[in-house]
């Protein structure tokens, strides 16, 4: 058991409005093992109320610091770490000229391993304690990422990228070594083998990962949907409605579906735990399909601004009522830092302000990258498991220690914050990895 005294940020259970935060100026966070040995929050609240209840617990006093839930990144590409900031006219040329040439290299286990080590360290340095990540179409990259995340105890979900057409052969899935299975069959067999090997091991989860409909044959999408039905606990991740040229292409390839999004539903790929990145160019029928199937959106604002893809429509999402959270989408996205992502989401929300009626509050932005993202991923305490993305009793003890005086400008600005919103906004606008003094990961004993 261990206790931390500091300011503490958390979100009320089922709080209404769902994104309002609770802030303890002088708080106590007590962490210790649950019945399964997982390190969880045992108690949280005002220091003066709790201190006498935990007299024998080792106490770390962190004056001037803020403890907040670890961030949840709902969509990031581990093999794109080294191509951040590669400019292109739009998504499709960016994939062709930068992404696919880099992703080819991940067939080599050594290359994948060193990239995975850097990637996981970089997530932790930026305060990210849960991530849903893409690997490449080579199982070597999936093995490397799971292995590294397991070693560092990061809660990570990934899977073999499914792409059996419309990409250079080096980044497509490979046929079986003995020639007995074609590329599509082998990719589905490899997916199932990886589910059995990794899903539920420690803090790891598997995501069935059709890259996007244009890179998958009908047979591959159908097979992915069959696996999704067979393994309902497993996640699904893909991309949808990001870019106008991409949408046109997807509509040409799957003309029988009502829309690009509906293609995924037609192959059994929309359900709880299905996470679609971007979701920009939707109509209300698409939004209703998201709501009714339980699929969720990974909003990726730095990527959408960098690649000129468009603006996620918050007002539309809230009007129809489907779930969403925030994502970096590195390397289309420009930063591992959740502060940069929250700021970009604020800009995107401003763009749609006339429709929404008000801009996104800093508490809502923070919620979208912590408790809201965890809820969208189904990691908010469902199915009897501890929740992540929050610091309520019973949540896994994943948290960050923030130093609001980390830079001279942050120190000046936060000293003049007159409300919680002003404090959170100052950190969102001025923050980066320097604000994260420490990232603490829930340890199993
Ligand atoms: N659509 C298909 N693949 C990708 C990718 O790697 N990044 C983004 N942003 N969109 C995609
Ligand atoms: Zn992506």
């Amino acid at each position: 058991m261990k206790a931390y005294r500091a300011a503490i940020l958390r979100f009320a259970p089922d709080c209404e409005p769902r994104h309002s935060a609770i802030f303890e100026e002088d708080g106590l966070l007590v962490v210790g093992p649950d019945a399964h040995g997982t390190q969880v929050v045992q108690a949280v609240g005002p220091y003066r109320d709790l201190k006498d209840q935990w007299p024998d617990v080792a106490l770390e006093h962190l004056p001037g610091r803020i403890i907040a839930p670890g961030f949840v990144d709902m969509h990031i590409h581990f093999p794109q770490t080294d191509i951040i900031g590669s400019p292109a006219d739009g998504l499709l040329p960016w994939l062709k000229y930068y992404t696919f040439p880099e992703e080819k290299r991940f067939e080599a286990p050594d290359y994948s391993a060193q990239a995975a080590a850097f990637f996981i360290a970089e997530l932790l340095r930026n305060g990210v304690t849960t991530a849903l990540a893409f690997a490449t179409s080579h199982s070597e990259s999936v093995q490397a990422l799971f292995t590294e995340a397991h070693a560092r105890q990061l809660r990570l979900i990934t899977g073999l990228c499914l792409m059996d057409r419309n990409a250079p052969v080096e980044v497509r899935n490979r046929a079986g070594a003995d020639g007995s299975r074609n590329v599509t069959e082998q990719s589905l067999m490899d997916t199932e083998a990886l589910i059995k090997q990794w899903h539920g091991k420690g803090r790891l989860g598997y995501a069935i990962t059709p890259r996007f409909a244009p890179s998958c044959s009908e047979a591959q999408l159908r097979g992915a949907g069959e696996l999704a039905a067979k393994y309902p606990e497993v996640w699904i991740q893909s991309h949808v409605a990001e870019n106008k040229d991409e949408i046109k292409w997807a509509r040409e390839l799957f003309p029988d579906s009502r829309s690009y999004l509906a293609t995924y539903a037609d192959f059994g790929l929309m359900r709880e735990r299905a996470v679609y990145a971007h979701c920009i160019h939707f109509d209300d029928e698409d939004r209703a399909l998201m709501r009714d199937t339980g699929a969720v959106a990974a909003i990726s604002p730095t990527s959408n601004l960098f690649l000129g893809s468009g603006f996620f429509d918050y007002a539309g999402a809230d009007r129809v009522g489907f779930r969403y959270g925030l994502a970096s989408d590195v390397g289309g996205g420009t930063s591992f830092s959740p502060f940069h992502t929250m700021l970009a989401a604020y800009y995107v929300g401003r763009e749609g302000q006339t429709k929404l009626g008000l801009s996104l509050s800093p508490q809502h932005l923070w919620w979208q990258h912590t408790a809201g993202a965890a809820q969208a991923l189904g990691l908010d305490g469902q199915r009897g498991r501890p929740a992540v993305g929050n610091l309520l009793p019973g949540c896994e003890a994943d948290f960050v220690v923030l130093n609001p005086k980390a830079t001279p400008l942050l120190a000046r600005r936060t000293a003049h914050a007159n409300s919680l919103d002003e404090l959170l906004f100052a950190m969102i606008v001025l923050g980066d990895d320097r604000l994260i003094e420490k990232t603490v990961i829930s340890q199993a004993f």
Side-chain angles (χ1 to χ4, degrees), residues 77 80 91 94-95 99 211-212 239 242 278 303 307 329:
H77 295 254
Q80 296 176 9
L91 171 68
W94 177 79
L95 287 172
T99 314
R211 183 180 202 117
F212 63 160
H239 299 88
E242 174 179 6
H278 309 298
S303 170
L307 292 175
D329 192 31

Side-chain angles (χ1 to χ4, degrees), residues 136-432:
T136 67
S137 53
H138 318 99
S139 47
E140 291 81 356
S141 73
V142 183
Q143 298 288 3
L145 189 56
F146 272 137
T147 302
E148 185 66 23
H150 196 55
R152 300 290 303 264
Q153 303 238 20
L154 186 94
R155 185 168 276 291
L156 179 110
I157 306 163
T158 190
L160 183 73
C161 189
L162 297 173
M163 39 192 324
D164 64 358
R165 64 168 175 171
N166 292 331
V169 70
E170 299 93 328
V171 292
R172 281 189 236 151
N173 302 115
R174 291 166 306 209
D178 61 1
S180 64
R181 279 179 293 276
N182 69 28
V183 172
T184 308
E185 289 162 354
Q186 187 65 40
S187 70
L188 298 166
M189 282 193 64
D190 290 347
T191 294
E192 187 159 22
L194 287 163
I195 291 172
K196 288 183 177 153
Q197 185 182 355
W198 292 106
H199 184 73
K201 181 169 178 178
R203 309 186 80 199
L204 307 177
Y206 194 87
I208 297 165
T209 307
R211 183 180 202 117
F212 63 160
S215 71
C216 303
S217 65
E218 287 198 15
Q220 197 174 40
L221 289 178
R222 191 171 306 110
E226 284 164 10
L227 287 171
K230 184 169 173 187
Y231 297 98
E233 291 273 317
V234 156
W235 282 265
I236 298 165
Q237 59 175 346
S238 193
H239 299 88
V240 75
E242 174 179 6
N243 165 288
K244 295 267 172 66
D245 294 332
E246 170 217 19
I247 295 170
K248 189 164 166 279
W249 191 24
R251 300 297 299 120
E252 284 161 13
L253 291 167
F254 298 96
D256 295 340
S257 294
R258 192 203 70 85
S259 67
Y260 179 8
L261 180 71
T263 309
Y264 295 115
D266 293 345
F267 288 100
L269 290 164
M270 291 191 72
R271 61 153 165 75
E272 293 283 331
R273 296 198 165 200
V275 182
Y276 286 91
H278 309 298
C279 302
I280 298 172
H281 308 285
F282 273 0
D283 60 19
D284 271 0
E285 278 195 58
D286 289 324
R287 295 186 183 100
L289 189 57
M290 294 289 287
R291 180 195 61 207
D292 296 344
T293 56
V296 301
I299 305 171
S300 306
T302 71
S303 170
N304 299 158
L305 297 172
F306 184 72
L307 292 175
S309 304
F311 300 82
F312 180 80
D313 184 347
Y314 278 98
D318 288 345
R319 186 183 64 249
V320 177
F322 66 86
R323 284 173 299 162
Y324 54 76
L326 283 176
S328 66
D329 192 31
V330 160
T334 50
S335 175
F336 277 77
S337 175
F339 300 106
H340 290 190
T341 301
M342 290 188 286
L343 179 58
Y346 180 68
Y347 295 148
V348 167
R350 291 293 295 203
E351 209 280 334
Q353 191 176 356
T354 42
K355 281 187 264 175
L356 201 62
L358 74 172
S359 54
L360 297 172
S361 74
Q363 295 182 38
H364 189 199
L365 291 163
W366 211 290
W367 176 89
Q368 286 181 56
H369 225 340
T370 53
Q375 192 183 87
L377 290 176
L379 291 172
D380 56 337
Q382 297 173 14
R383 307 176 205 208
R385 310 247 170 81
V388 303
N390 208 342
L391 290 174
L392 302 172
C395 288
E396 291 186 4
D398 286 340
F399 60 90
V400 289
V401 178
L402 306 174
N403 177 8
K405 295 189 169 42
T407 70
L409 183 56
L410 264 168
R412 280 177 78 97
R413 179 62 190 91
T414 56
H416 293 286
N418 292 316
S419 65
L420 177 60
D421 275 355
E422 281 191 27
L423 177 65
L424 297 182
F425 248 145
M427 292 192 284
I428 288 171
V429 172
L430 300 173
D432 56 28

Side-chain angles (χ1 to χ4, degrees), residues 3-10 22-24 27-31 41 44 60-62 64-70 366 391 398-404 438 440:
Y4 300 84
R5 181 179 180 186
I8 299 173
L9 181 76
R10 65 194 194 278
I22 305 168
F23 190 67
E24 226 70 71
L28 190 73
L29 178 76
V30 184
V31 303
V41 176
V44 61
E60 188 171 343
H61 190 194
L62 299 162
R65 305 298 191 267
I66 301 166
I67 289 179
W366 211 290
L391 290 174
D398 286 340
F399 60 90
V400 289
V401 178
L402 306 174
N403 177 8
K438 193 159 129 181
V440 179

